[in-house]
């Protein structure tokens, strides 16, 4: 009812501040049309995913990066402002669509000659999923599967992230 709708509005407001996502609903619409528009914006195709990275294992200590992606993207943390290079030891996927692939690299150019981690989202994620370490040899849970390719360790050495969104 009304309380649930207010909660949706509060969540949209917090999400819009965190991800620069602004609903495109007119306040001059009828109440029913406006409500339907706001509710449809909660998981808009323009918001494809959101990842937070943490300094400590298990999503603890300081947040080192907060990235929202709307499609296939890549970030070199030596060049990208707002993300700490060589600090993260864990991450959370706050939301992502099934089929999305996420890669983390020790090498800032994404070369696979050093440590890297591959993650594939198995089903839509709408609540945070924490990956406690970048160095789990095989990651498998109901939401993601992944594999770590070791050279000398990735925890605390993440310098690049790549996201590939499945558009078919």
């Amino acid at each position: 009812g009304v309380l649930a709708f207010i909660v949706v509005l509060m969540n949209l407001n917090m999400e819009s501040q965190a991800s620069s996502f602004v609903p495109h609903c007119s306040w001059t619409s009828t109440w029913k049309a406006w409500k339907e528009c706001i509710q449809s914006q909660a998981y808009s195709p323009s918001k494809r995913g959101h990842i937070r990275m943490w300094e400590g294992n298990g999503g603890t200590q300081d947040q080192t990066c907060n990235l929202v992606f709307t499609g296939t993207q890549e970030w070199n943390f030596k060049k990208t402002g707002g993300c700490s290079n060589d600090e993260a030891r864990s991450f959370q996927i706050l939301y992502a669509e099934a089929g999305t692939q996420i890669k983390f690299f020790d090498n800032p150019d994404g070369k696979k000659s050093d440590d890297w981690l591959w993650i594939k989202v198995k089903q839509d994620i709408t609540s945070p999923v924490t990956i406690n370490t970048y160095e789990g040899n095989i990651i498998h849970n109901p939401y993601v599967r992944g594999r770590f390719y070791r050279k000398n360790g990735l925890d605390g050495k993440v310098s690049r992230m790549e996201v590939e969104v499945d558009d078919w």
Side-chain angles (χ1 to χ4, degrees):
V2 174
L3 181 57
F5 182 65
I6 291 170
V7 170
V8 167
L9 286 177
M10 289 172 45
N11 285 339
L12 285 174
N13 183 45
M14 290 187 302
E15 288 179 11
S16 68
Q17 292 172 3
S19 64
S20 302
F21 170 74
V22 180
H24 302 291
C25 302
S26 170
W27 285 95
T28 61
S29 299
T30 65
W31 171 254
K32 182 179 179 185
W34 185 79
K35 179 180 172 183
E36 288 172 1
C37 179
I38 291 294
Q39 289 174 333
S40 73
Q41 296 292 329
Y43 293 103
S44 165
S46 66
K47 288 184 356 182
R48 305 297 290 267
H50 186 178
I51 293 177
R52 286 192 183 139
M53 298 163 62
W54 299 92
E55 184 180 14
N57 290 106
T60 61
Q61 297 182 20
D62 294 332
Q63 181 178 299
T64 64
C65 197
N66 186 36
L67 295 172
V68 175
F69 52 91
T70 57
T72 298
Q73 262 175 281
E74 56 188 46
W75 296 266
N76 176 331
F77 299 145
K78 285 191 169 188
K79 297 179 182 177
T80 302
C83 292
S84 300
N85 183 52
D86 289 347
E87 291 289 330
R89 300 181 70 82
S90 63
F91 64 98
Q92 288 178 313
I93 304 171
L94 280 74
Y95 55 85
E97 297 172 359
T100 300
Q101 294 188 58
I102 306 162
K103 297 174 186 166
F104 298 93
F105 298 89
D106 189 342
N107 183 286
D109 297 318
K111 294 180 181 171
K112 295 179 179 174
S113 56
D114 209 342
D115 299 283
W116 66 288
L117 172 66
W118 168 81
I119 297 283
K120 182 162 186 174
V121 177
K122 296 180 349 185
Q123 65 177 326
D124 289 352
I125 295 173
T126 58
S127 297
V129 173
T130 301
I131 306 299
N132 294 323
T133 175
Y134 290 91
E135 297 183 17
N137 284 335
I138 296 177
I139 297 168
H140 188 69
N141 65 43
Y143 298 98
V144 299
R145 65 184 169 119
R147 182 171 171 94
F148 170 57
Y149 298 88
R150 176 179 293 280
K151 181 174 180 188
N152 59 3
L154 188 55
D155 280 0
K157 297 182 183 180
V158 177
S159 295
R160 182 183 189 87
M161 184 174 102
E162 297 177 359
V163 173
E164 183 179 329
V165 176
D166 188 0
D167 284 322
W168 59 278

